[in-house]
Amino acid sequence: MSSKTIIAIFVVAIVWGTTFLGIKIGVETVPPWFVAGLRQFLASLVLLPILIYTKNLKWIGWRNFRIQITLSSLMLVGANGLTTVAEENLTSSLTSLISALSPIFIFVASMAIGMEKFTYRTMAGLLMGFFGVLFIFWDGINDLMNPSYRLGLLILIIAIMSWGLGTIYTKKINVENNNLFLNLFYQFAFAGIIQLVFAFSFSETIDVSAWSVKSVSAIIYLAVFGSVLAFFSYHYLLRTLLPTQVSILSYVNTIISIFLSWLILGETISTKFIIATTCIISGVFIINYKPGMLKFRLMQKYLKR
């Protein structure tokens, strides 16, 4: 395994595990749509000088533009933006745990359109994920009486569905990623502009003087590391490893996020929450398991395709 692949694995596993924490710190004093919009817009500004210096800043064609805008709408505006909005009312640890259910949503939707087949192993994984959800709400059943909490959950579910649709869309189309930085630039720029429009439209008050240095620093971290570095590493791994192998890293993300939420934010992690985490991660793993996915080595035959 090359050093580049090892670094990319580290970035996807560790950095994406810190994004839920970064979002929670960001929305402490900054309205959520501003957090999401500034994150993606700053990410595009980071890529801009790189593209100019390498003379790769160019028009990508209408077909690829429509594809990138669709991906951006689903995965950045929809999934990422709505997750940021949800974290205004939900804890970082709970948001990361429920987001870990996204592979189950993706699998169920894939079965509905004939991309996946139902098996007994699938049933076992779905049941484990379902029991995990039961433990989550068993532990916080009283929180469901809070309208803001219920709204946060609803928004998060829509975000997960949006991520799932974006993932399925990616599988269904044939995208040429000859210049990944260029495609990401278009995605980040579009998402940033749309989310900032939402921010100015939907934020009740806009008082920049109330934005803390800690929240602004979190937005910058999310832009540079959570967007540019992590998304580039993710797409690089999809080219280097099998997709099922890359999916394993999402389990590490959840564990890291929950640990950091407890360590830094002081969020309560109960025994039931730990059981829920174990059930959900195990259920997702069972559904997505394929022979050979635990063998992290370069697949030369796969790379030639």
Side-chain angles (χ1 to χ4, degrees):
M1 184 179 295
S2 69
S3 58
K4 291 182 179 179
T5 303
I6 294 174
I7 293 173
I9 290 174
F10 175 83
V11 169
V12 173
I14 305 299
V15 173
W16 262 355
T18 65
T19 54
F20 290 100
L21 172 66
I23 290 172
K24 190 63 179 180
I25 293 175
V27 299
E28 285 179 353
T29 61
V30 180
W33 279 120
F34 274 108
V35 173
L38 289 172
R39 169 187 178 177
Q40 307 304 352
F41 191 72
L42 286 175
S44 69
L45 293 181
V46 171
L47 291 179
L48 184 59
I50 297 175
L51 292 170
I52 294 175
Y53 178 76
T54 58
K55 298 181 180 180
N56 283 313
L57 184 62
K58 58 185 178 181
W59 175 240
I60 57 176
W62 283 110
R63 178 182 180 274
N64 194 18
F65 179 74
R66 287 193 296 270
I67 291 172
Q68 301 309 321
I69 294 306
T70 302
L71 289 173
S72 180
S73 299
L74 291 172
M75 307 191 83
L76 296 181
V77 178
N80 184 268
L82 290 177
T83 297
T84 304
V85 174
E87 274 207 60
E88 191 175 26
N89 297 311
L90 302 177
T91 63
S92 173
S93 54
L94 178 62
T95 304
S96 63
L97 180 56
I98 295 178
S99 296
L101 289 167
S102 60
I104 295 180
F105 279 85
I106 294 170
F107 192 90
V108 172
S110 297
M111 283 196 303
I113 61 176
M115 290 179 63
E116 299 282 357
K117 294 183 179 180
F118 185 82
T119 63
Y120 289 111
R121 177 165 57 83
T122 302
M123 181 183 294
L126 290 173
L127 286 174
M128 290 200 71
F130 175 73
F131 282 119
V133 172
L134 286 182
F135 273 105
I136 289 176
F137 295 113
W138 181 11
D139 191 45
I141 190 69
N142 292 330
D143 293 330
L144 290 174
M145 303 302 294
N146 184 340
S148 297
Y149 181 83
R150 292 199 304 269
L151 178 62
L153 285 177
L154 176 61
I155 292 173
L156 184 57
I157 290 172
I158 296 173
I160 293 174
M161 293 174 64
S162 182
W163 181 269
L165 289 174
T167 302
I168 293 173
Y169 177 74
T170 303
K171 292 180 179 180
K172 294 285 287 184
I173 61 175
N174 182 23
V175 185
E176 292 186 7
N177 285 321
N178 295 327
N179 193 327
L180 181 55
F181 271 151
L182 184 60
N183 287 338
L184 287 176
F185 169 76
Y186 277 93
Q187 288 188 32
F188 291 146
F190 176 80
I193 292 171
I194 295 299
Q195 289 171 326
L196 287 176
V197 170
F198 288 169
F200 283 105
S201 301
F202 300 138
S203 299
E204 295 181 359
T205 58
I206 303 174
D207 184 7
V208 179
S209 63
W211 298 4
S212 69
V213 174
K214 185 169 67 172
S215 292
V216 173
S217 299
I219 294 172
I220 295 173
Y221 172 83
L222 289 169
V224 177
F225 293 94
S227 288
V228 176
L229 192 59
F231 269 87
F232 180 82
S233 299
Y234 177 74
H235 286 284
Y236 174 81
L237 288 178
L238 287 178
R239 296 180 180 183
T240 308
L241 303 174
L242 294 174
T244 49
Q245 294 174 321
V246 180
S247 69
I248 294 177
L249 301 177
S250 63
Y251 312 142
V252 182
N253 294 341
T254 304
I255 295 172
I256 291 175
S257 177
I258 292 173
F259 174 74
L260 290 178
S261 299
W262 167 78
L263 180 67
I264 298 177
L265 298 179
E267 294 181 0
T268 302
I269 306 299
S270 66
T271 301
K272 293 187 183 71
F273 196 92
I274 294 175
I275 294 174
T277 303
T278 303
C279 287
I280 289 174
I281 292 179
S282 299
V284 172
F285 179 80
I286 290 172
I287 289 174
N288 287 275
Y289 177 78
K290 289 180 175 59
M293 69 183 294
L294 296 176
K295 298 178 181 179
F296 279 87
R297 62 175 180 269
L298 291 177
M299 301 294 181
Q300 298 297 333
K301 181 178 179 181
Y302 179 78
L303 289 174
K304 293 178 180 178
R305 296 180 180 178

